[in-house]
Every structure is written in C-alpha cells, then in structure tokens.
C-alpha cells in the first residue's frame, strides 16, 4: 500500500485505537487513525485508570488471565513509552484494597483470597488492625479487607497521549475531526471507510470506536456494543491520608494523585453523558462510607463517561468471521485502560499471522453470532 492508502485504517483514536495503532506501526504496518475528535462522554478521559484485575476478579472469569497479563504488561510498556515520548504516565503500583463492611462480606472476601491464591494470584486478607494501620482515615466499622498488592493505576490521559505520540513516532498517521459513518466493502472484503469528509481506502479496517462502534454502518451484522454511563467526581484531596485505592460499598476511592477521585455509577442511559444529582449522591455516599472525611471535602469536578459495554462484559477483539480484512478492538467496558496495551499486541500479532499465546475465545467476535 502507498502512504495514501494505508494497510490498516483504525476507526477511533481513543485509548484502544491508539494502542492498536502503536502496536501495528511498530511491526511495520502502515496505519491511519481516523478520530472524531473530542466527544462528550468519551471513555478514556473519564476513566480513573485502575489496573485492577485481581481486585475485580470473579471466580471462573474467562477474562481473568488476559486481564492479569494486561496489568503486568504495563511493567514493560510504561518504561518504553516514557523513554520514547518523555511523557510520565504516573504508573502507581501500591495495590488495591477491597473492604468488607459486614460479616457476610468478610466471609466472601476470605473465600476470594483462598481461590485467588490457588490460582497463583497475589491476594491477602488484612484484619481490621492492619487495615487501620495502613489506611488511618478509613471507616471504623470494618471487618477487614482484601489487598490485591500487585494491582495499581495509571493516569489515563497521559497514557493516551503517550500511546498516540509513540504511534506517530513509529509512522502512524492521525486524522482528527472526521467521523466514520460506514465501512466500505466490495466482494466480501473491507476496502475503506466513509466519513463526513468523504471516503478513504485502505487494505483493512479496524473498528476501535468505543461505545460508538455499534453506530457504524456497513458491518455484516449489528455490533453488540452499547454505552454504559459512569458518573464520577474529583474531591479535594485528603491531606494526611497516604496514597491508596480502595473499593467498597458499590464504589471506589482513588487517592493517588493531586485530587481524590470517587466513582462510579453504571447506567444504561444511551448516549446521555450528563451528570445528575442522583448519580453524584450515589458516588459520594459510597466514597464517604469508605472514607468518612470525604463527605466534607470540596467538590472540584463532576463528569460522566460512556463505557463501551457488551452483552457478556468481554471485549470484542479479532477479525470478522465473514468479511475479509475487517477487524475489531472494541467493547472493553470497565477494562479499557487495563487491556489497552495487550489489545494492541493481540491485534498486531493476529494481523501479522504470528502465534498467539492467549486463549482468545472470550473475546472472539464470532461468539455472539454463532449458535
């Protein structure tokens, strides 16, 4: 392909599109990213940036191995990005605590520690005294907590900037301000895309448009991706509390940067990204249940993001089963930051025909379309 007709057109320049563009470009695949630009409700800038595969793990979760690998990959990816781009993505590796407020929650938490250890995951039960020593401002009426010591976080906007800058340094081209409305096909092959500025040809098309992926026409079947709204807020930081990320009472508190982030709701409200009094009250109630002092902290910002959800909660990654040269990397839900780097590597490896060491059945695009 000439530079005017790229090997791959990446539809969407969010965290997943940027990671895929970088990974494809690194292995010599000419890549064009077409991004609609700033959109209300975009998931990447709205994220808290948690890398929490163990803290959020469920027994028999088919995505667990991929999520753990996605977290661990940042140990390699972050130094590469910071060396290439000089952008600090603020990776934090201090662990994530899940607190128990009842005897029943404590019993469930201890069982979780047992199966996670049997699965080779680093998970520890902390009695109340240990929790209070590590997190002095936490609520008094706890029954203990589970510490996922290897979980952590990154700063999403900085990570996104670093991935896109690195992709461009490796040869990817970025076009902003164009919205892709349809995939163009000819004789069972994807040949390009239609945008609000015209048509662009390419050797292959990768759909990575987050919650807007399902709005793109010309696909062989409806794409099972829909927006799931999450409302969040930033509060004035707790001045004497050590850095921490704590889950509990249907919410979380991220106290590792200059602000304290609290969240998040999960609402099926279409493409409505408005902030509501009810949503803010919900996240503040959860946060102040964990850290009572947050109830009186000044509110700095409120916002909402639209996560790209799928029926089974797993992303859609890989090639289309029917249309040649049509690919997907979308539907990551709450795991967009966690799985960004790994999704890029998977797409680049599949496109290049390299062997994949992971079980991709949980993310196979065809899983929704086969009976």
């Amino acid at each position: 392909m000439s530079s005017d007709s790229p090997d791959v057109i990446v539809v969407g320049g969010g965290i997943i599109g940027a990671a895929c563009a970088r990974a494809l470009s690194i292995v010599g695949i000419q890549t064009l990213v077409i991004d609609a630009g700033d959109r209300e409700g975009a998931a990447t800038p709205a994220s808290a940036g948690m890398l929490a595969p163990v803290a959020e793990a469920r027994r028999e979760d088919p995505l667990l191995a991929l999520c753990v690998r996605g977290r661990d990959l940042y140990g390699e990816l972050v130094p590469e990005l910071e060396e290439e781009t000089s952008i600090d993505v603020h990776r934090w590796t201090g662990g994530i605590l899940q607190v128990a407020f009842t005897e029943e929650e404590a019993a469930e938490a201890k069982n979780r520690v047992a199966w996670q250890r049997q699965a080779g995951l680093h998970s520890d039960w902390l009695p109340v005294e240990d929790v209070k020593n590590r997190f002095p401002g936490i609520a008094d009426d706890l029954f203990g907590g589970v510490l996922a010591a290897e979980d952590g976080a990154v700063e999403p906007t900085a990570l996104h900037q670093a991935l896109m800058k690195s992709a461009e340094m490796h040869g990817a081209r970025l076009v902003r301000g164009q919205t892709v409305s349809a995939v163009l096909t000819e004789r069972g092959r994807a040949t390009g895309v239609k945008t609000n500025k015209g048509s662009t040809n390419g050797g292959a098309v990768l759909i990575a448009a987050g919650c807007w992926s399902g709005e793109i026409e010309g696909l062989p079947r409806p794409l099972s991706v829909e927006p799931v709204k999450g409302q969040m807020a930033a509060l004035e930081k707790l001045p004497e509390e050590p850095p921490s990320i704590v889950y509990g009472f249907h919410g979380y508190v991220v106290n590792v940067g200059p602000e304290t982030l609290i969240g998040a709701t999960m609402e099926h409200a279409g493409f409505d990204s408005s902030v509501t009094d009810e949503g803010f009250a919900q996240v503040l109630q959860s946060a102040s249940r964990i850290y009572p002092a947050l109830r009186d902290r000044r509110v700095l910002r409120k916002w909402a993001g639209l996560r790209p959800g799928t029926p089974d909660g797993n992303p859609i990654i890989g090639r289309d089963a029917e249309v040649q040269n049509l690919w997907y990397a979308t539907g990551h839900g709450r795991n967009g930051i966690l799985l960004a780097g790994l999704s890029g590597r998977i797409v680049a490896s599949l496109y290049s025909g390299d062997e994949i060491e992971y079980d991709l059945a949980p993310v196979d695009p065809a899983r929704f379309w086969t009976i």
Side-chain angles (χ1 to χ4, degrees):
M1 289 284 173
S2 71
S3 60
D4 293 330
S5 183
D7 297 324
V8 179
I9 299 172
V10 178
V11 180
I15 196 78
I16 302 299
C20 290
R22 178 182 187 268
L24 288 165
S25 298
I26 283 176
V27 294
I29 298 166
Q30 294 180 5
T31 306
L32 170 67
V33 180
I34 300 180
D35 184 52
D38 295 336
R39 276 180 159 178
E40 288 191 9
T44 298
S47 170
M50 265 102 68
L51 308 176
V54 177
E56 297 187 359
R58 307 184 312 274
R59 189 192 292 264
E60 309 300 332
D61 183 352
L63 204 63
L64 180 56
L66 285 176
C67 286
V68 171
R69 178 57 185 142
R71 177 200 66 192
D72 294 346
L73 182 60
Y74 279 99
E76 309 169 26
L77 182 58
V78 168
E80 291 176 4
L81 289 173
E82 292 182 347
E83 181 177 356
E84 289 177 1
T85 69
S86 300
I87 296 174
D88 183 357
V89 304
H90 303 284
R91 180 173 177 242
W92 188 76
T93 57
I96 296 178
L97 178 72
Q98 176 100 38
V99 293
F101 282 106
T102 66
E103 290 184 357
E104 182 180 6
E105 288 181 351
E108 292 176 355
K110 291 175 181 178
N111 288 334
R112 187 162 68 249
V113 169
W115 73 255
Q116 287 181 346
R117 285 185 170 182
Q118 289 176 352
L121 303 174
H122 191 169
S123 180
D124 297 298
W125 169 255
L126 300 183
V128 176
E129 297 78 10
D130 289 350
V131 172
K132 291 294 292 182
N133 285 336
R134 295 188 185 206
F135 309 90
I138 210 160
D140 290 327
D141 57 338
L142 297 174
F143 284 77
V146 176
L147 181 65
E150 295 178 346
D151 284 1
V154 292
E155 205 291 301
T157 301
L159 175 65
H160 178 231
Q161 291 172 346
L163 285 167
M164 190 61 79
K165 182 176 180 179
S166 174
E168 292 182 283
M169 291 172 67
H170 287 282
R173 291 190 294 132
L174 171 63
V175 174
R176 291 192 183 276
Q178 293 192 22
T179 302
V180 173
S181 58
V183 172
L184 303 177
T185 59
E186 183 177 340
R187 297 180 182 177
R189 297 174 63 94
T191 59
V193 298
K194 180 182 178 181
T195 79
N196 58 318
K197 299 291 181 66
S199 298
T200 301
N201 295 324
V205 175
L206 172 67
I207 305 297
C211 67
W212 292 277
S213 297
E215 301 291 290
I216 297 171
E217 298 179 353
L219 302 177
R221 65 199 68 76
L223 192 59
S224 302
V225 179
E226 65 174 6
V228 181
K229 181 163 78 169
Q231 298 190 51
M232 296 179 59
L235 307 182
E236 190 177 25
K237 192 173 178 67
L238 294 171
E240 298 179 358
E241 191 67 18
S244 63
I245 300 177
V246 184
Y247 282 42
F249 201 68
H250 316 296
Y252 57 76
V253 176
V254 180
N255 192 53
V256 298
E259 308 167 321
T260 296
L261 306 182
I262 63 173
T265 63
M266 291 191 68
E267 306 168 56
H268 293 273
F271 288 93
D272 174 17
S273 60
S274 62
V275 176
T276 65
D277 292 341
E278 295 80 6
F280 174 69
Q282 178 182 327
V283 297
L284 182 60
Q285 180 186 26
S286 297
S288 59
R289 185 69 179 87
I290 298 169
Y291 282 105
L294 289 176
R295 190 176 294 109
D296 301 319
R297 304 307 290 174
R298 183 163 57 94
V299 180
L300 303 177
R301 294 179 293 124
K302 303 176 188 176
W303 67 93
L306 302 176
R307 314 176 189 92
T310 64
D312 62 3
N314 295 349
I316 301 170
I317 306 173
R319 61 170 62 87
D320 190 273
E322 297 177 6
V323 177
Q324 295 183 49
N325 297 333
L326 177 58
W327 297 76
Y328 304 98
T330 188
H332 288 70
R334 293 168 58 92
N335 294 315
I337 305 299
L338 174 63
L339 290 175
L342 184 62
S343 295
R345 289 199 178 186
I346 288 172
V347 167
S349 295
L350 289 173
Y351 186 89
S352 302
D354 296 336
E355 185 176 346
I356 297 290
E357 59 182 294
Y358 316 107
D359 176 14
L360 298 183
V363 301
D364 186 349
R367 71 187 186 277
F368 297 129
W369 309 318
T370 56
I371 301 176

